[in-house]
C-alpha cells in the first residue's frame, strides 16, 4: 500500500517525521535514554562500525557524534573490506553493525568475525534478522517496513538511534551533564516538526531536481558532519536516476574533482551556516569561477550570506547543528526521487539492484 503516493519511496520519505518520532519515543523514557544495560560505555577504548551502502554512510555520520560528543575514537569500515582485512579487535571495543535488512551477507560475515572478540551491537530494522539475533545487543531503528530499494527512512532512523547512542555514551562517560543531555533530547524531539517543514518545500526541491535531471554528471560536496551526506546524496541519485554522481568532502575539491567542473556539471553543496561555512563558500566560489552551477542547500543565514551567484538555493528550516545531517537527508532524498521521476526510471525497483544483498 503506497498510501496515496505514486511510489513506495515517496511514501517512505514522507513517513520520516512520524517514524523518527516513534524511534525517539521508543528510546527516551522519563528524560533519559534507555538502552540495553549490557552496553557499558564507560570502559570502551574504541568503537568499530561496519556496514554497506547507505548504512555505511550512517556510520560515517555517527563517527562525528561519537568522537565529538562522547570522545570515543571510532573507526568505520565497509563490511566487504573489513571482513577480509581481519583487523585486530581489542576486548574494550564495541563493534557496531548497521543494517536495515539485518541480512546483508558481508555485514553478517563481519559480525561473525568479531564474535568473541568484542561486544557486538546491531542497529537493524528487522528484529528477527540474522544480524539482530547474532549480536549481543540489538538496537531497533523502528522505521517500519521499507519497500523502496533506495533506503530513505531507514537511513534517518539509523541516524536517530546512533545519535541517541552517542548522547548516552557521552553521559555515561561523564562528558555530558544532565542539563546538556536534556537540551539535546529536546532538540531531537523537535526534529519531526523540522522535518515536516523541510517536506513542505518539496515543490522547490522537485523543481531543482528536474533541472539536475538534465545533467550527465553531478557532484555533491559537504564538510564535517555534512560530508557523509554528500556521499549519501550521490549514491541516492545514481541508484534511482542513473545519473553519474560523486560525493566529496568540500576540502578535496582542489585535489582532483575541480577538473570536472564546467557549465554542464551541477555541484550540490550541502552547507548549513556553521563554523566551517566560510570555507565551503570559498569552495563554491572556485566552482562558480569555472562556470560551474552551484545548487546550495543551506539555512536562512547561509542563504543570506552566500546565495549570490549560485544557480539555485534551497533554504532548509533551522536545526540544532548536531542533528543537521538528519534534516538535510530529506532534500538529498527528494532531489534523487524527483530527478528519477523526471527521467521516468523505475524508482522503487531500479535496474540491477536488490533490496537485500544476501550474496557477496
Ligand atoms: O540492509 P542493509 O542496510 O544492510 O543494506 C545495505 C545496502 O545494501 C543498502 O543501504 C543500499 O546501499 C541501498 N540500496 C541504498 O539506498
Amino acid at each position: 500500500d503506497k498510501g496515496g503516493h505514486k511510489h513506495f519511496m515517496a511514501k517512505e520519505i514522507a513517513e520520516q517525521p512520524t517514524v523518527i518520532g516513534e524511534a525517539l519515543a521508543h528510546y527516551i523514557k522519563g528524560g533519559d535514554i534507555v538502552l540495553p544495560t549490557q552496553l557499558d560505555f564507560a570502559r570502551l577504548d574504541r568503537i568499530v562500525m561496519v556496514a554497506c551502502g547507505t548504512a555505511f554512510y550512517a556510520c560515517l555520520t555517527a563517527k562525528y557524534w561519537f568522537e565529538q560528543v562522547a570522545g570515543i575514537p571510532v573507526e568505520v569500515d565497509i563490511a566487504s573490506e573489513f571482513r577480509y582485512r581481519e583487523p585486530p579487535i581489542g576486548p574494550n571495543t564495541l563493534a557496531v553493525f548497521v543494517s536495515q535488512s539485518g541480512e546483508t551477507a558481508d555485514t553478517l560475515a563481519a559480525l561473525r568475525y568479531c564474535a568473541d572478540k568484542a561486544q557486538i551491537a546491531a542497529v537493524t530494522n528487522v528484529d528477527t534478522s540474522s544480524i539482530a539475533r547474532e549480536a549481543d545487543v540489538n538496537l531497533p531503528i523502528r522505521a517500519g517496513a521499507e519497500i523502496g530499494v533506495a533506503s530513505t527512512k531507514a537511513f534517518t532512523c539509523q541516524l536517530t538511534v546512533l545519535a541517541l547512542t552517542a548522547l548516552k555514551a557521552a553521559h555515561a562517560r561523564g562528558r555530558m551533564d544532565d542539563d546538556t543531555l536534556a537540551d539535546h533530547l529536546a532538540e531531537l524531539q523537535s526534529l519531526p516538526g523540522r522535518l515536516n517543514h523541510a517536506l513542505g518545500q518539496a515543490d522547490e526541491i522537485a523543481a531543482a531536481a528536474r533541472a539536475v535531471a538534465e545533467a550527465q554528471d553531478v557532484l555533491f560536496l559537504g564538510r564535517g558532519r555534512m560530508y557523509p551526506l554528500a556521499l549519501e546524496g550521490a549514491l541516492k541519485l545514481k541508484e534511482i536516476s542513473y545519473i553519474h554522481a560523486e560525493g566529496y568532502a568540500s576540502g578535496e575539491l582542489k585535489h582532483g574533482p575541480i577538473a570536472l567542473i564546467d557549465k554542464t556539471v551541477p555541484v550540490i553543496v550541502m552547507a548549513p551556516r556553521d563554523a566551517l561555512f566560510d570555507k565551503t563558500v570559498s569552495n563554491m566560489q572556485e566552482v562558480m569561477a569555472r562556470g560551474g552551477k552551484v545548487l546550495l542547500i543551506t539555512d536562512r543565514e547561509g542563504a543570506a550570506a552566500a546565495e549570490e551567484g549560485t544557480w539555485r538555493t534551497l533554504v532548509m528550516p533551522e536545526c540544532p547543528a548536531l542533528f543537521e545531517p538528519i534534516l538535510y537527508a530529506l532534500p538529498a532524498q527528494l532531489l534523487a526521487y524527483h530527478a528519477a521521476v523526471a527521467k521516468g526510471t523505475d524508482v522503487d525497483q531500479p535496474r540491477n539492484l536488490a533490496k537485500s544483498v544476501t550474496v557477496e
Side-chain angles (χ1 to χ4, degrees), residues 269-353:
V269 180
M270 318 245 252
R273 180 132 204 199
D274 60 13
L276 300 175
F277 184 73
D278 292 346
K279 298 194 184 301
T280 301
V281 171
S282 28
N283 300 133
M284 275 169 45
Q285 283 160 348
E286 286 155 12
V287 170
M288 294 186 305
R290 286 156 184 85
K293 299 194 287 198
V294 171
L295 166 52
L296 173 62
I297 309 180
T298 186
D299 49 20
R300 207 160 29 89
E301 269 189 58
E307 190 168 20
E308 208 185 311
T310 63
W311 178 48
R312 282 162 186 269
T313 297
L314 294 171
V315 181
M316 291 296 111
E318 303 306 306
C319 184
L322 206 52
F323 307 118
E324 278 161 346
I326 302 177
L327 179 76
Y328 281 69
L330 272 56
Q333 297 164 351
L334 286 166
L335 273 175
Y337 174 74
H338 289 290
V341 169
K343 295 203 76 174
T345 56
D346 187 344
V347 171
D348 285 331
Q349 290 286 334
R351 66 186 183 200
N352 309 339
L353 291 174

Side-chain angles (χ1 to χ4, degrees), residues 9 51-57 98-105 107-108 123-125 131 146 148-152 154-155 158 232 235-236 239-240 350 353-357:
M9 185 180 177
C52 300
T54 287
F56 171 67
Y57 299 141
V98 181
S99 172
Q100 187 285 128
S101 62
E103 299 297 348
T104 297
T107 310
L108 180 59
V123 177
T124 68
N125 200 25
I131 290 173
E146 189 181 66
V149 164
S151 186
T152 52
F155 177 64
Q158 285 161 352
E232 167 64 4
L235 175 66
K236 213 94 296 170
E239 272 191 303
I240 58 170
L353 291 174
K355 181 65 185 161
S356 179
V357 183

Side-chain angles (χ1 to χ4, degrees), residues 57 220 231-247 336 350-351 353:
Y57 299 141
F220 284 77
L231 302 175
E232 167 64 4
L235 175 66
K236 213 94 296 170
L237 185 67
K238 77 179 79 152
E239 272 191 303
I240 58 170
S241 73
Y242 315 145
I243 297 168
H244 170 236
E246 289 189 58
R351 66 186 183 200
L353 291 174

Side-chain angles (χ1 to χ4, degrees), residues 36-37 89 167 169 187 213 221 239 251 288 327 330 339 342:
T37 48
I89 304 288
L167 293 177
E187 288 170 358
L221 299 181
E239 272 191 303
M288 294 186 305
L327 179 76
L330 272 56

